[in-house]
Amino acid sequence: MLEVTRKLVDLLDLSPMGDDHFQGDSEDLGFPNVFGGQVLGQALMAASRTVEGRLPHSLHAYFLRPGNHSMPIDYEVQRVRDGSSFSVRRVIARQDGKEILTGSMSFQVAEDGFEHQLDMPSAPDPDSLKSEQDYGKMLAPHVPEHLRDTLVRDRPIEIRPVDPVNPLKPEPRPPYKQSWFRTQGHLPDDPVLHRCLLTYASDFSFLGTALNPHGVTFMSKKMQIASLDHSIWFHREFRMDDWLLYDKDSPSASGGRGFNRGNFFDQQGRLVASTTQEALIRHRG
């Protein structure tokens, strides 16, 4: 495991504070606020620490306030129900006594049942694509100095976008995006860790799908963008240190909000997880 990946794994390894309370550190990725995927991944880890013999199969969360990446985050887990097959947990994330995220997670015992899935869409092989870090190095000389470190930094999640948008010269295009994801280096055989890492990664490049038809990006002037909510469903086992295709579309944007959907496929074509997110995409003219 590379050191940059080990730091992310450590970030998800929360400190128990007693009475189903946990504390996690924050990381600065160069964004104004805490990266939403970090709070989601830590919240799922906190809930998982209160469940035995069951893996998370769904998560639904609302972002309530921007997080401060210079402060730790406190996670309170509420044990809503433990049934014969399912367990439900509610998680509240706080900083400085204020709620920044609230969510519910459901866990299930391993079970056999009916099987079907959508076919995996066509996509270029990840070995034929450049990484986001490669594109960042190409863009770095053309952006303000304070943005360069964010573009070229080492990343624990390697992302290889298909047909990437030039954030400096965006043009309208269909509301559809694809990227290949995997962690840098081998990971332990812990299915909870892999699900928390996918949760963390699922927030990267997601809301931008709703921006595609409008020819704007997060770097465009007078844009206010933020994730409002986020949901994930885990369908099948997977590994985050193997390539996963993140296939995304945005069926609708209206009222200053953009709706996004995503599916994760492994290289064998298995649908392993699905996501949805609504985001604020407000243009202040």
Side-chain angles (χ1 to χ4, degrees):
M1 188 189 305
L2 299 184
E3 181 60 25
V4 67
T5 307
R6 187 178 304 281
K7 288 180 179 179
L8 175 56
V9 171
D10 290 344
L11 187 74
L12 295 174
D13 188 16
L14 307 178
S15 300
M17 307 302 288
D19 296 327
D20 290 344
H21 283 69
F22 303 86
Q23 187 175 88
D25 293 329
S26 296
E27 64 175 350
D28 183 357
L29 296 182
F31 306 138
N33 307 305
V34 171
F35 173 52
Q38 175 205 306
V39 189
L40 291 167
Q42 289 180 329
L44 182 58
M45 181 63 78
S48 298
R49 293 279 175 85
T50 69
V51 179
E52 292 185 5
R54 302 175 181 192
L55 290 174
H57 71 89
S58 67
L59 172 155
H60 307 278
Y62 285 92
F63 297 100
L64 304 177
R65 291 180 177 86
N68 184 339
H69 47 59
S70 66
M71 299 173 58
I73 303 174
D74 296 316
Y75 295 90
E76 176 191 348
V77 180
Q78 300 173 356
R79 303 188 185 218
V80 178
R81 183 175 186 269
D82 288 302
S84 59
S85 301
F86 293 88
S87 294
V88 176
R89 298 291 185 264
R90 184 178 298 116
V91 180
I92 302 171
R94 295 184 177 91
Q95 277 188 322
D96 197 25
K98 297 179 180 179
E99 296 182 11
I100 64 171
L101 175 139
T102 182
S104 297
M105 294 83 178
S106 183
F107 299 75
Q108 184 187 12
V109 298
E111 188 173 329
D112 293 327
F114 295 111
E115 285 269 350
H116 78 271
Q117 68 162 74
L118 296 175
D119 291 337
M120 180 179 180
S122 60
D125 188 274
D127 291 336
S128 69
L129 302 171
K130 291 184 174 66
S131 70
E132 280 196 345
Q133 188 177 24
D134 293 330
Y135 286 110
K137 292 176 180 177
M138 295 166 58
L139 286 170
H142 308 288
V143 302
E145 188 172 353
H146 70 277
L147 295 176
R148 292 175 189 171
D149 287 345
T150 300
L151 291 174
V152 303
R153 64 179 174 80
D154 291 333
R155 308 173 187 210
I157 308 292
E158 183 177 3
I159 302 175
R160 297 192 179 184
V162 177
D163 192 22
V165 174
N166 181 347
L168 303 179
K169 297 180 180 179
E171 297 178 353
R173 56 170 65 191
Y176 179 72
K177 295 177 74 173
Q178 287 183 323
S179 302
W180 288 96
F181 281 61
R182 73 173 176 186
T183 57
Q184 300 267 21
H186 186 70
L187 294 170
D189 298 331
D190 178 357
V192 171
L193 175 62
H194 287 262
R195 294 183 189 214
C196 290
L197 284 167
L198 184 144
T199 300
Y200 171 91
S202 67
D203 198 28
F204 281 122
S205 305
F206 199 13
L207 68 78
T209 314
L211 301 178
N212 268 8
H214 311 287
V216 295
T217 72
F218 71 98
M219 295 183 69
S220 300
K221 293 180 179 180
K222 298 182 179 180
M223 285 299 301
Q224 182 185 6
I225 60 175
S227 302
L228 297 173
D229 60 25
H230 198 101
S231 295
I232 301 177
W233 294 264
F234 300 106
H235 308 305
R236 295 170 179 86
E237 293 303 308
F238 62 90
R239 294 190 64 90
M240 272 299 292
D241 48 9
D242 291 333
W243 283 116
L244 298 175
L245 177 68
Y246 197 10
D247 185 76
K248 296 154 281 187
D249 67 17
S250 177
S252 176
S254 63
R257 306 181 315 277
F259 176 62
N260 305 287
R261 304 181 299 190
N263 288 315
F264 280 93
F265 296 86
D266 65 17
Q267 286 190 286
Q268 289 70 50
R270 297 165 62 249
L271 177 62
V272 301
S274 298
T275 57
T276 61
Q277 183 184 89
E278 192 170 47
L280 178 70
I281 53 170
R282 179 182 290 152
H283 183 259
R284 295 188 177 278

